[in-house]
Amino acid sequence: ILLLYTGFEGISFDTQQRVMIATFDFIMAYLYATILGSLYKRYTRVIEFSSQDPELLRIILGRRDVTGKTRTVAANSSVKVRASPLGNAAFKEWSYSGGVTLEDSKSFETVMRVAGDGMLKASLSLMQV
């Protein structure tokens, strides 16, 4: 459309037309990335996942191990989270802060509600053998 308005609507492109097209493409890509980036930050929240002992207790979000990682989650969403103990460990409870809340902090599998940035930590208790 820009080429039509400027009179450069020919079938073959000379150097000036190619420069104009490349400039237009660059500007549009920059605008698209800027808009997408601002929407991403607006509609997602950063959650930090940690475990009392990452070797014995893992945090599973969906089907992924997120122990010791920071992930972005959709704002105002509910996500199923599960603690997966290994060896002679047993899940004890969840602790959370910030914009994170849980349906049941004593259950190893629960639903996490995300309203803002926050932290979720899994605690364990060692079973005596």
Side-chain angles (χ1 to χ4, degrees), residues 46-124:
V46 177
I47 309 297
E48 180 184 341
F49 298 93
S50 62
S51 174
Q52 181 180 350
D53 186 348
E55 297 297 320
L56 295 176
L57 185 61
R58 302 278 183 193
I59 300 173
I60 309 297
L61 183 68
R63 288 186 276 171
R64 293 192 171 164
D65 180 6
V66 293
T67 310
K69 298 178 183 173
T70 301
R71 293 286 182 247
T72 55
V73 179
N76 302 317
S77 65
S78 297
V79 183
K80 186 180 283 190
V81 64
R82 178 174 51 92
S84 178
L86 304 170
N88 64 343
F91 173 77
K92 183 178 179 183
E93 65 183 351
W94 297 100
S95 56
Y96 52 92
S97 65
V100 175
T101 57
L102 296 175
E103 279 186 0
D104 183 6
S105 63
K106 299 290 185 184
S107 175
F108 76 97
E109 186 172 322
T110 187
V111 174
M112 173 181 69
R113 290 193 178 85
V114 179
D117 295 345
M119 183 271 310
L120 180 66
K121 182 177 182 178
S123 299
L124 59 84

